[in-house]
Structure formats: C-alpha cells, structure tokens
C-alpha cells in the first residue's frame, strides 16, 4: 500500500528544493525550470487526453468492421464496414447494395441463404473470442476482465505492478476489439477505463516527476478514468462525475480540473476523428423533441423497479459464476471463451435484436418512429408486427441477461456497462410499445386524458432510454453520473426529472438487496485491501484490532547485522522505533524501503561491517536532512562521496531518516475513527501509544480482517462459497484428474490464475523502488 502521508511530505520537500534552487536565479534556465515545473502536469494531461481520444476512435472503427465481417464483406474495399460500403444506399430497406457481399454469395449459394449466414456468423464469432482469450492468457493476463475494480484499488493506493503496463494496453486493445465483435454479452466501456489508465501510466512515466510521486500519478489515473468514460459515452462531464462518484475517494479541486481538462481533450480528439462519420461521438446518441405526460411517471417507477431487480439478480449470480470460474474453470480460459461465444452466437443470430452490435441496436431502440429519416428496423415501427416485436424484445432481454451473467468476468477484456444498457433498452422499448398500444386502443381511458389527438402521445424510444439508464444504475449503483451521461447523450433537459426518479427507485431497490455495485463486490471477492465508503458501526476500541506482537527497532544496542537479519526474516513494510524493549517509549517509525536504501548507501559510502553499531537518535532538523539525501550515486566517485548525516566508520545513526512524527492514536479510540483516518489521510500504518509507550499498531489489512470476521455470516462471498463450494470442489477435482497432463503444461507456462488474481499479500509485498530515490 502507498503511504499517502509520507508521499505528500516528500513531494513538498521536492517542490521546496526546486524553488530554492531556481527562485533566486534570474537566468533563463531557472525561468524555464520553474515554468516547466508549473505546467508539466497539464502537459502530461493534454498528451494523455489526446492519446485516449485517438485510441478510442481506432478501437471503435476496428470493432465496427469486425462486427460486420461476421455478416459479409465489402467487395470494393475489404477494410470498409457495411455502413461505409453502402454509404449512399439505404440497404436496410432495399434488397441490399451491390458492393456488400454476404457469405452465402461468397460461397456461390445465392444471396442471404439463412443457414450459410448463420454458420459463418457462429464460426467467426467463436474465432474472435478464442483468439482474444488466447492473447490474454499467454501474453497479458492482466488484460482480462473490466479492470474498474483494480483501478479503484490502485487509485486508493494498492500496488499492482504490471497491471497498467504498455504490454497490457496493447493486448487489451487488440483483445477487446475481438471480444466485442464476437457478440459476447460484454461491452468495451469498462475496459476503456483500464486502457485509459494504461495510457496515462505509460505517458506520465516519461516524465521524472511522475516516476517518484504517487500523488501525481493518482491524479493522472483519476483524470484518465474520467477521459475513458467520456470517450466511451461521448459525455465529458459525465466522465468527470463518474470518476468522482465511483473511482476516487480523494477528489480535490486540483484533481477535478485535471479530470475535466483530460476528458475535454479526449472528447475533442474523438470528435475530430469522427469514427462513425455521422458527427456523433457514440452510435446511440439521439435527440428527443416531445414532452412527458404526468401519467407516464407510473411507468417510470416500473422501469426503475426493473433496474433495481436486474442489478441485484446480475450481481448475485455473476458472483456465483465468478466463484465457479475461479474454482473449476481456472485452467480453461480459452475453452470457456470459445464455448460462451459459440452458444451466444448460436442463440443471437435468429433474434434481430441480438444479432448486431449492442451499441448499434441501442441506437435503433432509442429512436422515435415518427421522426423523419428514421429507419424501420425489421418492422419495429409497424403496428402489424407488434406481437412479433414484443416477443423478440422479451427474449432478447432474457437471453442477454443470462449471457451477461455468464460472460462478464471471463478471461477476455469485458465490461458490463453496455450489456446492461442494452438489456434495459430492450425491456424499456417493450414496455413503451405495450403502453403505446394500450393508449391507441383505449384513447378515452382516464390515464390518457392529457394526450392530444393530433400527435403521438407515447414515445417508446424514451422508455428504452430510461430502461438503459436504470439497468446501468442497477448494476453499478451510480446515480448522478448516469443522469448526466444520459443527458449528454440526448442533449435535452426534458427527461432529466424522469431519469432521476427512475434511478432513485433503482438505487433504493438495489440497496435493499445489498450495498455496493458489481465493481465493489469484485473487490471483496478478490480480497483487495481497500476500505469501503459505507459507514459501519462496531462500537469497539481500536485495541481490538491492533497487532501486539510487533517487530521493533531499538534506539540503541543494535548492530548492522541485526538490522539486515530483521529485513531478511520479515516481510513488514516498516518498523516502530522505541527507546528499549522494556520501556517501549516510542521514538518514531522507519519504513522497510528506507532501511534498505540507507543500508545500501552505508555499504557503498563507508563499507559498513556486520558489527557496526546502529542507532536511531532523534534529530531536530529532519526536513533539511531529507532534502540533502537525494544526491545521485552516479555523480559521485570513490574519492568524493557525499557524507550521509550521522554516519561514521564505527557508528551508523539512522535517526535523521526515520519519521519522528508518525500518526499515533490512543488504544481506546473507537475503531470507526481510525477507519476515517485511513480513508481521509491514507497512512500505511497507525501506531497505538499510551503515555508515550508503544502498545501496538494497526494497518488497513488488520481492519479488513476484523470487519470480515464480524460480517462473515452476511458476506455474499462466504454464502456463495458455502452454497456452491462443495459442488465446485467436486467438479474441480474431476476435471483436474482427467486433465492432469494439460494442467501440468499450463503450470509450466506460468501460473496464469495466480498472476491475474494476486492476493493482497502478494501484491503488497512486492519490492518497490525507494520513494526518496530520484526525488531531489
């Protein structure tokens, strides 16, 4: 875990050092250094936003082409999708365009031979998913899944090396296009946040300041996540609010402005690229020109109820599927993706609302039938086809819901935003068609007394719009950002109030079944050490949670060998420093990385021996010492090395480099207050002292262990494990027994599941570069 308190102190020292070095210098170099220091963060945010917008446009273009290639190809240019191939022809209402060749025509069996089209559709969908799972498994295990849960933890200070690397970005970009084109019930909006943060990490690492400052990187990750949502939905303000509501627990004005700027730049670049050649940022962007009627709020409440029930259903059973995947299918990610894609394509092709890409079908469902130029998609607006359309919409809702439960969390890049919106859109459109049919067949019914006879009263497209918003809120448990996103999609303020009402009902129903969206539930399932924002009351002092058996450093009486032995035999990230083991008077706290850094310096500078005496003497001038510590080793030779303060040939004094003012509390302080300290300040450890004597210490993991014990009976993960664990274990034993050789080959290639689902202990205990190195 990142110690945000120490990181903030070191960043202030770095800024003070830069100001002291250049403040009194009137040369142009000093002016340039100060100017670059001021605008460096904004330059990085500008580059990150532009890169995110460009990446999003390219992924949208490639995904559309791969989605259409399942149905045929363009004879004039194989790189064109169906819309661009037939740009000036309304192929949906004619016999097609001559330039677009279906696969049945390619095999010389005639145009639109149903069984041939179905065969190629299923074949290519399965191939895309298989290739995507293969690339993820063998080249970038961290590219699997959505990544939002892990990004939330990283922004909170959780260290996951390799999760935001360049190779992960490349593989996730390639795998995402194929996974979405395979027509699995997954979306690209969630992974867009992960890829945006990868872009932010790769670009910012080219600048020295961001290599050493965790706080600066946190701002970049927050801004990148906002830009990722902005380009995914064409909603820059909604992206900023999403980062505030869902991603970051620390969101000062400085971070808000950077997030706003990054989202704005990304959206501008996306609009300049114009990937759909329609001027729209996303395919399902629509506009409405009609008002609501008061009686329609009754159906708004019903749609909100559906959103809450849908979210609770998907979260519960998807977590069961995730537990099954981790226990039984952990060694078969490619086979799992192939089977899911095969089954999904087999079922999806006969249904016109499942066959095409989800973003495209949402654009169809959101539109008004009476608007000029509206496409009558397979009789969606025909009154004579109402029975058929309602049946297909209902089946699409059911099958898409099942597909989302089974597919989200598979070992391919996958998100849940768009599948949820598509499910809500099909359900909402179905409700809208039913209400419209009711009104047209009974215009004199008292509910419809406010309808005007000279214009349509009910707009089914708006019900689809509300259903999409409710389903997204139900599964993610976010409200404000969804309202703004849907507002920016329509460009109208008329439907803000109905959307707010629907989402409030959705959130209330969802919270009745359990708090936290699916991203928070996956954090719990994977055991990541992050404290939730929910207020919990335990009514116990922090002494119930603290560690009493501690490894401490004494101010005197320790040798160089003693300290090295402690570092080799323990995995603790820091050590309290006390006067002696009998009195336990607290002097301070020193981190593990600091000790290793200073030991290496001591061996290089003074050639310290095992019997060299080591002390921790408190120093009154700590800031000056920390500022002078950062001399680069390569600039020093053997005859002119800078002296580490307090070091001599016989005694090493580390006291100047320990934290003499660690965060301490009384053992009788309530646990809830300590949890607030961890949430607001972000220290790695809180020491417990009474009258100057050290009594214990507590970390975030200690708090999480205690809360897990207290809530074990009500924890969803525990319940799922108890209910399904026996069956999972039997299936896992049977599959492993019959495939022992395959499992051995997989284990020789590398522990795929262990790498992707690293425990908190594995990740926290990884070796980190020292925070002081390179800062000054």
């Amino acid at each position: 875990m990142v110690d945000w308190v120490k990181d903030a102190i070191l960043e202030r020292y770095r800024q003070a050092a830069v100001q002291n070095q250049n403040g009194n210098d009137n040369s142009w170099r000093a002016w340039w250094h100060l100017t670059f220091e001021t605008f460096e963060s904004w330059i990085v945010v500008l580059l990150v936003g532009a890169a995110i917008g460009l990446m999003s446009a390219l992924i949208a273009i490639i995904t559309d082409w791969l989605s259409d290639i399942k149905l045929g190809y363009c004879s004039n240019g194989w790189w064109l999708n169906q819309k661009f191939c037939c740009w000036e022809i309304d192929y949906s209402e004619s016999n097609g365009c001559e330039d677009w060749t279906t696969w049945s025509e390619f095999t010389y069996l005639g145009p639109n031979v149903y069984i041939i089209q179905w065969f190629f559709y299923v074949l290519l969908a399965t191939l895309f998913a298989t290739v995507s799972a293969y690339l993820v498994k063998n080249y970038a295990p961290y590219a699997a899944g959505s990544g939002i849960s892990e990004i939330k933890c990283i922004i909170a200070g959780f260290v996951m090396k390799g999760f935001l690397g360049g190779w992960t970005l490349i593989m996730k970009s390639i795998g995402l296009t194929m996974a979405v084109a395979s027509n699995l019930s997954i979306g690209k909006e969630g992974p867009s946040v992960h890829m945006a943060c990868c872009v932010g990490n790769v670009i910012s690492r080219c600048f020295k300041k961001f290599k050493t400052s965790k706080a600066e990187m946190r701002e970049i990750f927050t801004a990148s996540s906002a830009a990722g949502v902005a380009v995914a939905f064409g909603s820059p303000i909604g992206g900023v609010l999403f980062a505030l509501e869902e991603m970051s627990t620390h969101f000062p004005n400085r971070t808000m402005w950077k997030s706003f700027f990054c989202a704005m730049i990304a959206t501008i670049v996306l609009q300049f690229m114009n990937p759909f050649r329609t001027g729209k940022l996303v395919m399902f962007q629509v506009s409405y020109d009609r008002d609501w009627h008061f009686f329609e709020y009754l159906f708004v409440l019903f749609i909100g109820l559906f959103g809450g029930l849908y979210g609770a259903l998907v979260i519960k059973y998807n977590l069961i599927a995730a537990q099954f995947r981790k226990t039984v299918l952990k060694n078969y990610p490619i086979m799992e993706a192939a089977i899911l894609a095969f089954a999904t394509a087999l079922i999806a092709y006969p249904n016109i609302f499942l066959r095409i890409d989800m973003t495209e079908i949402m654009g169809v469902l959101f539109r008004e039938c009476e608007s000029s130029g509206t496409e009558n998609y397979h009789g969606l607006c025909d009154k004579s086809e109402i029975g058929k359309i309602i049946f297909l919409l209902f089946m699409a809702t059911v099958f898409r819901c099942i597909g989302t439960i089974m597919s989200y969390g598979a070992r391919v890049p996958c998100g849940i935003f768009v599948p949820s919106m598509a499910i809500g859109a099909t359900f909402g459109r179905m409700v809208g068609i039913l209400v419209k049919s009711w009104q047209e067949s009974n215009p004199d019914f008292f509910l419809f007394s406010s309808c005007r006879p000279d214009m349509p009263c009910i707009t089914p497209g708006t019900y689809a719009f509300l259903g999409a918003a409710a389903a997204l809120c139900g599964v993610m448990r976010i409200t404000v950002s969804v309202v703004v996103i849907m507002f920016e999609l329509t460009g109208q303020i008329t439907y803000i109030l109905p959307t707010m009402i629907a989402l409030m009902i959705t959130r209330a129903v969802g919270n009745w079944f359990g708090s936290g969206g699916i991203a928070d539930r996956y954090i719990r399932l994977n055991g990541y050490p992050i404290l939730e924002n929910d207020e919990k009351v335990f009514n116990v002092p922090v002494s119930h949670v603290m560690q009493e058996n501690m490894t401490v450093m004494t101010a005197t009486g320790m040798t160089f060998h003693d300290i090295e032995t402690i570092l080799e035999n323990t995995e603790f990230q820091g050590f309290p420093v006390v006067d002696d083991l009998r009195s336990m008077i607290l002097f301070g706290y020193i981190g593990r990385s600091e000790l290793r850094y200073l030991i290496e310096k001591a061996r290089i500078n003074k050639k310290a021996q095992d019997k060299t005496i080591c002390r921790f003497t408190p120093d009154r001038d700590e800031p000056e010492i920390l500022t002078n510590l950062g001399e680069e080793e390569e600039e020093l030779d053997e005859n002119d090395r800078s002296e580490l303060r307090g070091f001599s040939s016989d005694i090493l004094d580390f006291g100047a480099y320990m934290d003499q003012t660690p965060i301490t509390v009384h053992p009788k302080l309530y646990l809830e207050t300590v949890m607030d300290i961890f949430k607001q300040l972000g220290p790695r450890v809180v020491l417990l002292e009474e009258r100057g004597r050290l009594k214990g210490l507590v970390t975030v993991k200690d708090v999480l262990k205690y809360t897990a014990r207290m809530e074990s009976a009500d924890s969803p993960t525990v319940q799922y494990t108890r209910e399904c664990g026996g069956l999972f274990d039997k299936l896992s034993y049977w599959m492993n027994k019959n495939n022992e050789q395959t499992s051995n080959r997989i284990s020789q290639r590398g522990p795929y599941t262990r790498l992707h689902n690293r425990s908190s202990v594995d990740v926290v205990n990884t070796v980190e570069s020292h925070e002081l190195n390179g800062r000054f």
Side-chain angles (χ1 to χ4, degrees):
M1 293 290 292
V2 175
D3 192 333
W4 295 114
V5 176
K6 184 176 67 175
D7 185 78
I9 293 173
L10 294 175
E11 178 61 17
R12 285 195 292 269
Y13 291 158
R14 188 197 66 81
Q15 293 176 359
V18 173
Q19 187 67 33
N20 292 335
Q21 291 174 4
N22 301 283
N24 299 323
D25 191 348
N26 295 325
S27 65
W28 69 269
R29 291 185 178 179
W31 174 85
W32 169 252
H33 288 158
L34 290 176
T35 304
F36 185 73
E37 173 71 19
T38 303
F39 294 101
E40 182 179 7
S41 297
W42 294 98
I43 294 173
V44 171
V45 171
L46 174 66
L47 295 176
V48 170
I52 291 173
L54 178 62
M55 177 193 66
S56 177
L58 293 177
I59 289 178
I61 294 172
I62 296 173
T63 301
D64 288 344
W65 179 77
L66 288 175
S67 297
D68 287 346
I69 208 71
K70 300 195 302 291
L71 303 174
Y73 67 96
C74 185
S75 57
N76 281 345
W78 59 268
W79 58 88
L80 297 175
N81 62 15
Q82 189 172 7
K83 179 182 293 185
F84 289 162
C85 184
C86 308
W87 184 253
E88 298 179 353
I89 301 174
D90 191 2
Y91 55 86
S92 60
E93 294 185 0
S94 63
N95 295 326
C97 69
E98 297 179 357
D99 295 335
W100 183 258
T101 304
T102 63
W103 291 116
S104 60
E105 293 176 328
F106 174 77
T107 56
Y108 300 102
L109 296 177
N112 297 322
V113 179
Y114 190 85
I115 190 66
I116 299 299
Q117 291 292 107
W118 194 357
F119 172 77
F120 274 93
Y121 184 91
V122 174
L123 176 65
L124 292 175
T126 306
L127 177 64
F128 291 157
T130 303
V131 173
S132 177
Y134 176 83
L135 292 175
V136 169
K137 178 182 183 299
N138 291 280
Y139 298 103
Y142 278 142
S146 171
I148 289 183
S149 301
E150 290 79 3
I151 295 298
K152 289 184 65 174
C153 296
I154 291 174
I155 292 176
F158 190 39
V159 179
M160 298 184 69
K161 296 204 170 185
F163 190 80
L164 300 176
W167 194 243
T168 300
L169 171 62
I170 295 173
M171 288 297 105
K172 188 145 193 170
S173 301
I174 298 174
L176 179 63
T177 56
M178 293 187 176
V180 173
S182 68
N183 207 28
L184 285 170
S185 295
I186 58 176
K188 61 184 178 182
E189 282 65 21
S192 294
V193 176
H194 183 191
M195 292 187 297
C197 290
C198 289
V199 171
N201 181 66
V202 172
I203 292 179
S204 61
R205 289 290 178 178
C206 299
F207 296 80
K208 182 178 179 181
K209 180 171 73 171
F210 294 91
K211 291 182 179 180
T212 57
S213 177
K214 303 293 192 303
E216 292 285 348
M217 289 302 301
R218 174 168 61 175
E219 290 187 349
I220 292 297
F221 293 151
T222 304
S224 299
S225 63
V229 174
V231 296
F233 292 102
S235 172
I237 301 177
V240 175
L241 291 177
F242 175 83
L244 169 62
E245 187 175 5
E246 178 69 8
M247 300 302 297
S248 180
T249 57
H250 181 76
F251 207 83
N253 288 338
R254 172 187 171 95
T255 304
M256 181 186 69
W257 281 112
K258 288 184 178 179
S259 301
F260 181 82
F261 182 66
C262 189
M264 180 189 70
I265 295 299
T267 307
I268 290 174
V269 173
L270 179 63
Q271 193 169 35
F272 175 77
M273 293 289 294
N274 194 13
F276 308 113
R277 294 296 184 269
T278 59
K280 297 181 179 180
L281 298 177
V282 289
M283 294 185 67
F284 46 89
Q285 190 170 352
V286 293
S287 61
Y288 299 119
D289 55 3
R290 297 177 190 163
D291 293 330
W292 277 83
H293 300 282
F294 188 78
F295 70 86
E296 291 185 273
Y297 287 112
L298 178 66
F299 306 107
V300 170
L301 298 179
F302 178 69
I303 291 176
L305 177 64
F306 164 78
L309 295 175
Y310 160 78
L313 176 73
V314 168
I315 290 174
K316 177 179 180 179
Y317 289 102
N318 180 258
L319 289 178
I320 295 178
Q323 188 70 27
F324 178 81
R325 184 175 290 114
K326 291 177 66 175
T327 308
V328 179
L329 301 177
K330 59 183 180 181
N331 293 328
Y332 309 96
I334 300 177
M335 182 185 299
E336 176 196 2
I339 293 175
L340 284 174
F342 177 81
T344 302
L346 199 66
I347 297 172
Y349 188 81
N351 192 318
I352 57 177
F353 298 109
L354 294 175
R355 184 183 305 170
I356 63 176
D357 183 70
M358 285 178 285
T359 56
E360 187 175 353
I361 198 62
M362 278 196 292
V364 172
L365 296 174
F366 286 171
R367 286 198 289 266
E368 300 176 0
C369 285
E370 292 81 8
S371 298
S372 59
T374 298
E375 171 191 347
N376 186 17
Y377 180 76
H378 290 275
L380 179 64
C381 297
D382 293 341
K383 295 182 180 180
S384 59
E385 301 286 339
I386 287 180
K388 169 189 168 185
I389 294 299
I390 289 178
F391 174 76
L392 291 176
L393 287 171
F394 176 77
M395 297 307 298
T397 302
V398 173
F399 284 127
R400 186 79 76 188
C401 186
I402 297 174
T404 301
I405 291 173
M406 301 303 298
S407 301
Y408 181 70
R411 300 300 185 219
V412 295
C414 55
I416 201 170
F417 284 25
V418 164
S420 297
M421 293 178 68
I423 291 169
T426 53
F427 178 82
R429 185 79 184 205
M430 179 183 68
V431 173
I433 292 175
L434 290 174
V435 175
K436 183 176 182 180
S437 300
W438 183 19
Q439 187 272 331
E440 291 179 347
S441 60
N442 298 278
D444 298 329
F445 192 67
F446 74 95
L447 278 179
F448 311 127
S449 59
S450 60
C451 295
R452 295 174 53 181
D454 57 339
M455 63 180 300
C457 181
I458 306 297
T459 306
T462 59
Y463 287 75
F465 169 82
L466 285 176
L472 178 58
C473 173
V475 76
M476 292 299 298
R477 303 293 166 82
I478 52 178
T479 52
V480 179
S481 54
V482 174
V483 172
V484 176
I485 286 172
M486 304 309 285
F487 160 67
E488 290 186 276
L489 283 176
T490 60
Q492 301 289 331
I493 63 174
T494 308
Y495 300 97
I496 285 185
L497 185 58
T499 306
M500 293 174 64
I501 294 174
L503 297 191
M504 287 300 295
I505 298 298
T506 296
R507 184 66 182 265
V509 173
N511 288 343
W512 190 77
F513 287 96
S515 62
I518 196 167
D520 297 323
R521 299 296 183 87
Y522 266 83
I523 290 176
R524 301 177 196 172
L525 181 68
N526 293 324
Y528 297 138
I530 180 174
L531 293 175
E532 301 175 2
N533 290 325
D534 296 340
E535 296 293 335
K536 298 180 180 179
V537 179
F538 298 100
N539 287 326
V540 296
V542 69
S543 58
H544 282 54
V545 183
M546 71 178 184
Q547 299 180 33
E548 296 182 285
N549 298 324
M550 301 169 290
T551 301
V552 300
M553 301 285 179
T554 57
T556 58
M558 299 191 72
T559 64
F560 198 82
H561 176 72
D562 294 336
I563 295 178
E564 286 191 318
T565 301
I566 292 176
L567 293 177
E568 291 175 359
N569 297 331
T570 64
E571 297 293 338
F572 302 120
Q573 298 301 305
F575 307 91
V577 180
V578 297
D579 186 13
D580 56 69
L581 297 178
R582 174 176 293 183
S583 66
M584 295 294 286
I585 300 297
L586 181 64
F587 276 13
Y589 184 87
I590 189 165
R592 181 187 192 88
S593 55
E594 280 88 345
L595 279 175
R596 287 202 173 277
Y597 180 82
L598 294 171
I599 285 174
E600 293 175 2
K601 283 275 190 178
R603 285 196 177 278
I604 294 173
N605 293 344
K606 291 298 181 181
K607 300 181 180 179
Q609 304 298 321
D610 290 344
K611 295 183 180 180
T612 301
I613 298 174
C614 297
R615 294 178 179 175
F616 295 88
T617 305
D619 192 283
R620 297 181 181 178
D621 200 14
E622 181 183 1
E624 179 182 352
I625 294 164
L626 284 173
T627 305
N628 292 335
L629 182 61
E631 297 291 339
E632 298 292 340
E633 291 183 15
E634 58 269 19
E635 296 178 0
L636 307 175
D637 54 37
E638 292 294 334
N639 297 324
D640 185 24
R641 289 190 178 272
S642 62
E643 295 287 339
L644 288 177
R645 182 164 181 175
F647 284 23
S648 66
S649 57
D650 299 324
I651 298 176
L652 298 179
D653 194 344
F654 296 145
Y657 308 100
M658 71 176 176
D659 182 4
Q660 300 176 33
T661 57
I663 296 179
T664 60
V665 298
H666 196 278
K668 293 184 179 180
L669 186 67
Y670 278 109
L671 176 60
E672 293 83 355
T673 305
V674 177
M675 294 173 66
D676 289 337
I677 292 175
F678 280 119
K679 293 176 185 177
Q680 300 299 326
L681 299 180
R684 179 179 291 168
V685 62
V686 173
L687 303 181
L688 280 65
E689 67 168 346
E690 184 177 5
R691 298 179 181 178
R693 300 177 184 272
L694 180 66
K695 295 297 182 180
L697 60 83
V698 61
T699 64
V700 173
K701 289 196 292 184
D702 297 324
V703 175
L704 291 174
K705 289 177 183 178
Y706 179 81
T707 56
R709 289 199 305 268
M710 295 297 102
E711 299 176 357
S712 59
D714 299 326
S715 174
T717 303
V718 174
Q719 290 180 0
Y720 301 152
T721 304
R722 289 175 179 174
E723 293 173 2
C724 307
L727 176 62
F728 292 168
D729 291 340
K730 292 178 181 178
L731 288 174
S732 179
Y733 174 78
W734 178 79
M735 295 178 73
N736 289 332
K737 182 178 179 181
N738 289 280
N739 299 277
E740 184 175 356
Q741 294 180 352
T742 304
S743 299
N744 290 336
R745 287 197 298 269
I746 294 175
S747 63
Q748 291 175 2
R749 295 176 186 172
Y752 170 78
T753 306
R754 198 181 312 161
L755 179 60
H756 180 70
N757 296 313
R758 299 172 73 182
S759 68
S760 59
V761 177
D762 293 337
V763 178
V764 171
N765 289 336
T766 54
V767 179
E768 301 181 32
S769 60
H770 189 265
E771 292 88 343
L772 302 179
N773 195 12
R775 278 189 180 253
F776 310 106

